[in-house]
Amino acid sequence: MKKILALLGVISVLALSGCGKVDSAATIGDITISQASAQSIIDEILSERTKIDTAGMQIQTGNALNRAQLRFTIVTTLFDEIAKELKLEISSTEIEQAKSDLIAQSGGQEALAKNLVAAEIAPSNFDNYVRAIVTSNKLQDALLASGVTEADVSGRITQLINAKAAELTVKVNPRYGTWDQDTGDIVATDSAGSAVVPSGK
């Protein structure tokens, strides 16, 4: 859970701007995150919440949920792009081992499902999350080996993500909010509210 929440913390520092494609939730260079795919993640998360007792969980709704999930998708995509640029080798064996470790740490598959709901990670995004963890760990090892102090590693990884976002030009559809350059966050707008209900309702 600590790694899940720590990685999600990186999500809030990305510099995003308005998105020009009306059918996309966001674009990252040539990569498009469609509104349909963004909505499907919301539907999945809302569905998973109905399967467990969420009492006591600090879970997001409305615009906040939309923004958090869109940022999650953007950040995991940026991690993939950084891995490509740095030629980081991430094998399927490493991914599977990391998944097994997380499941064990969670107390098994059933407990993992509850933890994913608490962390607001859709089951279909679990592999993306694990790949981001593996990538982050490799970046951390490389930074430490280069002389960066452990206290500075997190900040340096954030800088790498911000730099990649700026290089590729990340843009967000205004219906998900307006980017506030001063606060480094997406400001909620009323128009995003309709996107958080399950499809067909």
Side-chain angles (χ1 to χ4, degrees):
M1 279 296 296
K2 287 184 179 180
K3 281 202 171 221
I4 291 176
L5 296 176
L7 183 59
L8 290 178
V10 177
I11 292 173
S12 64
V13 299
L14 291 181
L16 311 178
S17 57
C19 184
K21 297 183 179 179
V22 295
D23 60 340
S24 67
T27 58
I28 307 166
D30 294 332
I31 302 169
T32 297
I33 302 169
S34 70
Q35 289 193 44
S37 65
Q39 179 65 52
S40 71
I41 294 299
I42 298 298
D43 290 346
E44 189 177 357
I45 286 175
L46 295 178
S47 176
E48 290 299 306
R49 288 179 182 177
T50 67
K51 301 175 183 178
I52 67 169
D53 181 6
T54 59
M57 290 185 183
Q58 294 183 341
I59 52 180
Q60 297 173 307
T61 59
N63 292 334
L65 181 60
N66 273 295
R67 296 195 309 273
Q69 293 309 308
L70 188 56
R71 288 193 299 261
F72 178 91
T73 302
I74 290 168
V75 167
T76 53
T77 300
L78 289 171
F79 267 114
D80 286 343
E81 293 304 305
I82 291 171
K84 290 177 186 177
E85 178 185 354
L86 300 180
K87 296 181 170 56
L88 296 179
E89 297 291 337
I90 301 174
S91 68
S92 57
T93 300
E94 287 177 302
I95 297 296
E96 290 305 314
Q97 183 60 56
K99 286 172 63 176
S100 296
D101 290 345
L102 281 172
I103 292 171
Q105 291 168 16
S106 294
Q109 193 70 48
E110 184 175 344
L112 174 69
K114 185 172 184 177
N115 283 339
L116 289 180
V117 169
E120 299 182 314
I121 296 176
S124 65
N125 263 337
F126 185 44
D127 280 7
N128 294 330
Y129 167 71
V130 172
R131 178 176 290 277
I133 284 183
V134 174
T135 303
S136 179
N137 287 341
K138 286 179 178 286
L139 289 172
Q140 176 177 305
D141 292 342
L143 288 168
L144 291 172
S146 71
V148 176
T149 65
E150 190 168 343
D152 292 335
V153 164
S154 179
R156 290 293 293 274
I157 290 177
T158 296
Q159 288 174 6
L160 285 172
I161 295 173
N162 278 325
K164 179 57 67 176
E167 174 192 335
L168 295 177
T169 307
V170 178
K171 298 180 180 179
V172 170
N173 190 312
R175 79 184 297 240
Y176 292 90
T178 302
W179 178 247
D180 188 323
Q181 192 67 39
D182 294 329
T183 62
D185 204 353
I186 302 175
V187 179
T189 58
D190 292 340
S191 61
S194 62
V196 300
V197 297
S199 295
K201 294 188 178 181

